[in-house]
Amino acid sequence: MKRTPFLLTAALGALLAAAPARAGDVTEQRLLNADQEAGNWLLHHKDYAAHRYTTLDQINPATLPRLHVAWTLALGGVEGGGIWSHGGLEGTPLAEDGFLYVTDGWGRLYKIDAHGGQGVLVWMMDPKTDHDWAGAVACCGVDNRGAAFWHNLVITHTLDGRLIATDKESGKIVWQRQVANPDKGEVVTGAPLIVHDMAISGVAGAEYGIRGWIAATDLNTHQEVWRTYTIPAKGEPGAETWKDDHDAAQNGGGSTWVTGSYDPATDTIVWGVGNPGPDWDNAYRPGDNLYTDSSLGLDAKTGKIKWFFQHTPNDPFDYDSVAENVLVDAGGRHLALEADRNGIAYAIDRTNGQFVWATPFVKKLTWTKGVDPRTGKPVDYDPQRDVQVYVASVTPSRENKVTMICPGNMGGKNWPPTAYNPDLGTWYIPVIESCNRITVQETIPGKSYKPREFFTGGGPSDPERITGSLTAIDAATGRITGKAETRYPLLGGVLATPSLVLTGEPDGTFHAFDAKTLQPLWQFPTGAGISAPPMAFMVDGKEYIALLVGLGGAWDKWFIDATPELKRIQPSSMLYVFGID
Amino acid sequence: MRFRNFWCGRRRLAARLISAFFWASFLLPLLLAAPLLAAGSGEGPGPSPAPQPSSQPAPQPASPPAGADLPPAIAAIAAIPDAAPGDLAQGQRLYRANCAGCHKWHGGGGGGYGGAALSLRATALERPQIIETIACGRPGTGMPYHLRDAYAGAGCYGLAEKDLPAGMVLEANNFLRPAEIAAIADYVIATIKGRGEPTLAECRAFFGEGSRVCDIYEKPQ
């Protein structure tokens, strides 16, 4: 996002401070300038550019020794449903004027008064999510990543596919609408993105044979404005990249379950698209399989695809590209940065989708020999082939049915968000340093697909230990400038401050690293699993850091063998708030 | 231990490789003497030499006579009289809490993100072997044991946990009492085993009203 109009926005901010908008009225202007409201956290990724950067600096290397738990609040949502024995927390709290708004895995929304150095629950909205209906088709956990503000409403999703508007004062549901259909294997786990007067929703379900989409709901009329499918219909551009004769595109995947970013300068929504389905049997779906594994630039008003950049054509690895795109101006270019599940960080020009640079950010990457510096495609990608083989000895296929891939299918980097420090020009990636084993199972046209059943063409197993790292990249050049290794994969995401980087490990360790050197400076054992990103806010003139704690997501069901010690982590659901004493 | 039970069959293939090695090196004599155990691997008469991924249940060898070769603790459960027809509520409740996470409500199990719990609809096992499988689990696969003392002494399959490589037997999330194991087995036999595709009536009987989970069985596909 442009940082040039700083003076202008600062002036505007001063103006707003002098004559504030009605309390609780989160206007489009405020969202556009969310990065200027230092004490508040108004958007899921803090600002439209998805920087997750706070300018608050009371908590810094000098004061870290005095950083302690200020208060905690127990939340709900640990109960199971469907194939899940428990829910977990992956959300980013929102903060406005000393009030926090957080969600649990089943979509309950909690408003918490953080004034006076303690947390008091003001109200809780329970959407009564249909646990069995949704939980049976949630591939990767009972998750909800948070809320969004629009005027005096708080907008959320539920796992069972609803978009809900809750009154900020009373906690009462004002209206709701079904955006996704669990009968088709669709569920929703991401936070909505508010653009203009619309809520943008993404969908999960590529492991259940959905055809993915991004949808916009008009918040005034509660009607759908547009819905853009990530898999083109017959006759649309991109349909020619599905070359089979059995309509694989119909169950082609391409989910969109991570909240995207927005570039007001060009009115473009930038959103990541997930893996094709079936995940590992790419011979079932010859062709490049657009727009799976791509970053999309969408016209905000119409949802029309303006540009795309695909990372892993005809993906046989489950290397999705749902990750957030971080909008950064660096090296004289308007970039979108994405840390892909395939282990490679990409910068593209966000005005046209053109490739700029790529850097592997994991320690071990075996599936490709590298990225073509001209096109950004893997060097072993062969446009003449319908079924890609990449590094054939590694790549899962009907011929190579059991194979180790690095990174493992969970990535590289999964949904946990990165953060960007604009002063240092440094981008921080929460990394899963991994390999895992893929076993391919041939998918039979007309037989393998069943509604609400897994449609994956195989599965992973985890015979090797998996660790993590916090990896820093210089946005202008793509050069790696630091790597702090962690015992466990980073499953929670990152917050950047002027002087620090904060992130949690799934064993409960919450870390602060030095922003420049990545030296570990501070840690606190929360005593439960961290799978959510920290955020910062201010109340009563004091900076606090909030963190949801309670292991959610796919790890403990599908990947736990790679981290045996985590088997003893118990389900839990807790908000931790840290402050200087 | 707690989370192990949640993984269903995702470790099945890996585990089978280990298990093949394991059985071959330590237990070959025992194995030859215990055809049931080999049947338990779902793939014919011996340890499987290579993983055979399949969401479909492998053909089951014919079951040995009911009660044959069962350790005393298991034989005692098998001797519990069958549940009276229509008296399946407890079995259903226990199935839902202990089995459905892996085998699904309909018992179909199936290809998963991380492996496959076998289909109980297609199972060829008889009541004593179903009871044995619930109580003892299946070493080297994702099927956990549900009887507290299953491997305390030389119980299930003549094995003791202390002599087994770590991770060879999975402990269930909850242990079940003998009468509960029998109730689940009776529920599986009465409502799941031998059935074809899941139906709306079965779904309603399982979930009752209040969830849309049965929607898809209502609409013509």
Side-chain angles (χ1 to χ4, degrees):
Chain A
M1 177 175 290
K2 279 220 194 77
R3 296 238 157 212
T4 29
F6 173 76
L7 272 180
L8 195 119
T9 40
L12 208 106
L15 208 84
L16 282 172
R22 191 158 37 84
D25 189 7
V26 178
T27 59
E28 183 169 10
Q29 265 321 302
R30 287 184 68 193
L31 292 180
L32 286 167
N33 297 300
D35 57 333
Q36 304 296 319
E37 294 199 24
N40 289 336
W41 191 285
L42 298 183
L43 284 159
H44 178 60
H45 296 305
K46 169 70 177 157
D47 53 26
Y48 275 135
H51 286 183
R52 289 185 176 259
Y53 175 74
T54 180
T55 50
L56 299 176
D57 201 21
Q58 291 178 6
I59 298 168
N60 59 47
T63 59
L64 268 182
R66 290 190 287 124
L67 183 64
H68 296 296
V69 173
W71 52 269
T72 61
L73 189 78
L75 307 174
V78 285
E79 75 276 13
I83 60 169
W84 296 93
S85 58
H86 69 99
L89 299 178
E90 291 190 348
T92 305
L94 295 183
E96 192 205 14
D97 301 339
F99 292 89
L100 297 179
Y101 300 81
V102 308
T103 56
D104 70 27
W106 288 108
R108 294 184 192 92
L109 172 65
Y110 305 79
K111 176 177 180 176
I112 298 151
D113 185 350
H115 291 87
Q118 58 175 345
V120 176
L121 184 60
V122 180
W123 49 250
M124 191 258 288
M125 180 281 287
D126 186 353
K128 303 258 173 6
T129 298
D130 192 329
H131 286 37
D132 285 315
W133 193 38
V137 288
C139 75
C140 300
V142 174
D143 307 313
N144 183 299
R145 298 195 190 82
F149 289 134
W150 183 74
H151 293 290
N152 61 340
L153 299 177
V154 191
I155 314 294
T156 51
H157 286 128
T158 58
L159 196 64
D160 62 9
R162 285 172 290 159
L163 180 73
I164 297 186
T166 303
D167 183 88
K168 215 195 255 175
E169 290 310 311
S170 69
K172 294 274 178 301
I173 294 178
V174 181
W175 58 266
Q176 53 180 307
R177 100 169 253 265
Q178 194 78 37
V179 287
N181 183 359
D183 279 355
K184 295 188 198 164
E186 297 176 348
V187 294
V188 182
T189 58
L193 177 70
I194 308 300
V195 174
H196 304 314
D197 281 346
M198 300 178 297
I200 315 296
S201 305
V203 67
E207 275 65 46
Y208 288 86
I210 68 159
R211 176 175 171 233
W213 45 260
I214 302 163
T217 301
D218 185 321
L219 294 162
N220 291 304
T221 64
H222 320 159
Q223 304 290 313
E224 188 154 304
V225 189
W226 50 257
R227 181 174 297 231
T228 298
Y229 283 88
T230 58
I231 312 286
K234 287 205 176 73
E236 285 178 0
E240 72 286 356
T241 65
W242 296 83
K243 299 187 173 176
D244 58 280
D245 57 8
H246 46 262
D247 204 9
Q250 194 50 41
N251 306 108
S255 41
T256 53
W257 45 277
V258 170
T259 308
S261 44
Y262 170 63
D263 186 359
T266 56
D267 201 25
T268 303
I269 292 169
V270 186
W271 206 287
V273 183
N275 56 283
D279 303 41
W280 295 286
D281 184 15
N282 65 344
Y284 181 82
R285 43 177 170 75
D288 282 0
N289 305 146
L290 288 177
Y291 296 93
T292 65
D293 290 2
S294 302
S295 296
L296 295 183
L298 304 177
D299 179 77
K301 299 221 167 59
T302 61
K304 223 170 97 46
I305 297 174
K306 294 183 178 179
W307 51 257
F308 71 93
F309 179 80
Q310 190 181 38
H311 305 92
T312 316
N314 187 241
D315 174 10
F317 309 98
D318 187 21
Y319 286 158
D320 74 30
S321 303
V322 286
E324 78 290 355
N325 279 258
V326 179
L327 312 187
V328 162
D329 291 344
R333 308 193 68 150
H334 303 303
L335 302 177
L337 310 180
E338 195 251 3
D340 203 87
R341 210 141 127 181
N342 72 13
I344 300 169
Y346 295 84
I348 57 175
D349 184 326
R350 68 172 182 272
T351 61
N352 55 22
Q354 298 281 301
F355 172 73
V356 178
W357 55 252
T359 306
F361 62 83
V362 291
K363 287 194 294 180
K364 193 164 179 196
L365 191 145
T366 57
W367 65 275
T368 178
K369 294 211 178 65
V371 174
D372 183 324
R374 249 173 346 99
T375 63
K377 291 273 181 268
V379 289
D380 8 44
Y381 166 71
D382 179 353
Q384 304 311 319
R385 291 188 84 110
D386 290 342
V387 179
Q388 296 300 325
V389 293
Y390 296 109
V391 174
S393 57
V394 171
T395 300
S397 69
R398 289 180 184 176
E399 291 70 45
N400 192 17
K401 278 201 160 137
V402 182
T403 176
M404 288 295 289
I405 60 172
C406 313
N409 80 293
M410 76 297 284
K413 181 242 179 212
N414 207 286
W415 70 270
T418 61
Y420 177 69
N421 181 320
D423 297 326
L424 301 177
T426 304
W427 181 39
Y428 305 97
I429 305 175
V431 179
I432 306 171
E433 301 283 0
S434 63
C435 303
N436 77 351
R437 183 194 288 136
I438 301 303
T439 303
V440 178
Q441 197 177 302
E442 188 170 332
T443 309
I444 318 286
K447 188 154 174 267
S448 298
Y449 173 78
K450 287 185 188 156
R452 289 175 61 82
E453 299 287 347
F454 271 118
F455 182 68
T456 55
S461 56
D462 302 276
E464 284 183 11
R465 177 166 282 280
I466 291 177
T467 64
S469 74
L470 180 68
T471 299
I473 291 190
D474 176 60
T477 60
R479 231 170 15 89
I480 292 187
T481 56
K483 197 182 255 289
E485 305 225 9
T486 54
R487 181 161 183 216
Y488 294 106
L490 293 186
L491 307 180
V494 181
L495 166 70
T497 83
S499 51
L500 300 172
V501 194
L502 295 106
T503 192
E505 291 191 62
D507 71 339
T509 313
F510 184 36
H511 293 275
F513 297 92
D514 183 89
K516 284 197 187 126
T517 64
L518 296 192
Q519 283 301 310
L521 298 179
W522 174 94
Q523 56 171 266
F524 176 84
T526 59
I530 301 174
S531 55
M535 54 76 77
F537 68 100
M538 183 175 265
V539 56
D540 305 329
K542 232 182 122 173
E543 178 186 0
Y544 292 93
I545 287 173
L547 175 72
L548 290 171
V549 179
L551 197 61
W555 198 268
D556 68 23
K557 191 173 173 89
W558 304 126
F559 304 119
I560 195 83
D561 283 358
T563 54
E565 301 81 8
L566 296 182
K567 288 172 190 168
R568 55 177 180 258
I569 301 286
Q570 298 298 303
S572 65
S573 185
M574 192 77 132
L575 172 64
Y576 277 75
V577 173
F578 299 84
I580 307 278
D581 55 27
Chain B
M1 294 297 275
R2 182 172 162 82
F3 287 128
R4 290 194 166 171
N5 321 351
F6 306 157
W7 324 329
C8 308
R10 72 194 162 71
R11 330 188 314 148
R12 184 174 166 204
L13 300 170
R16 276 203 180 148
L17 281 173
I18 309 167
S19 112
F21 168 74
F22 171 72
W23 297 126
S25 50
F26 297 104
L27 285 171
L28 208 57
L30 172 86
L31 196 69
L32 295 173
L36 229 185
L37 192 58
S41 78
E43 288 186 14
S48 42
Q52 289 293 312
S54 165
S55 67
Q56 303 303 317
Q60 297 291 329
S63 297
D69 295 334
L70 293 180
I74 308 303
I77 304 176
I80 295 175
D82 291 3
D87 187 16
L88 299 169
Q90 197 207 9
Q92 185 190 68
R93 185 179 59 75
L94 292 164
Y95 178 89
R96 186 169 181 168
N98 296 283
C99 319
C102 294
H103 290 279
K104 314 263 182 73
W105 72 267
H106 48 61
Y113 189 68
L118 286 176
S119 171
L120 304 179
R121 302 177 84 84
T123 187
L125 299 184
E126 302 293 342
R127 188 174 187 269
Q129 283 74 46
I130 292 177
I131 285 172
E132 181 181 42
T133 309
I134 299 171
C136 302
R138 250 185 210 163
T141 78
M143 174 67 198
Y145 68 88
H146 292 80
L147 186 68
R148 184 186 308 275
D149 293 331
Y151 295 93
C156 286
Y157 312 120
L159 303 173
E161 190 163 8
K162 63 177 167 51
D163 303 328
L164 293 167
M168 189 53 61
V169 290
L170 297 184
E171 183 183 284
N173 200 17
N174 299 302
F175 286 132
L176 298 167
R177 284 177 287 115
E180 295 176 320
I181 293 174
I184 296 176
D186 291 338
Y187 171 75
V188 168
I189 290 164
T191 66
I192 297 176
K193 184 182 163 179
R195 302 289 178 102
E197 290 295 311
T199 65
L200 176 62
E202 285 176 9
C203 187
R204 288 246 172 92
F206 193 84
F207 289 102
E209 299 300 321
S211 171
R212 297 182 60 185
V213 71
C214 302
D215 276 12
I216 52 162
Y217 304 105
E218 261 170 61
K219 299 164 193 156
Q221 297 297 319

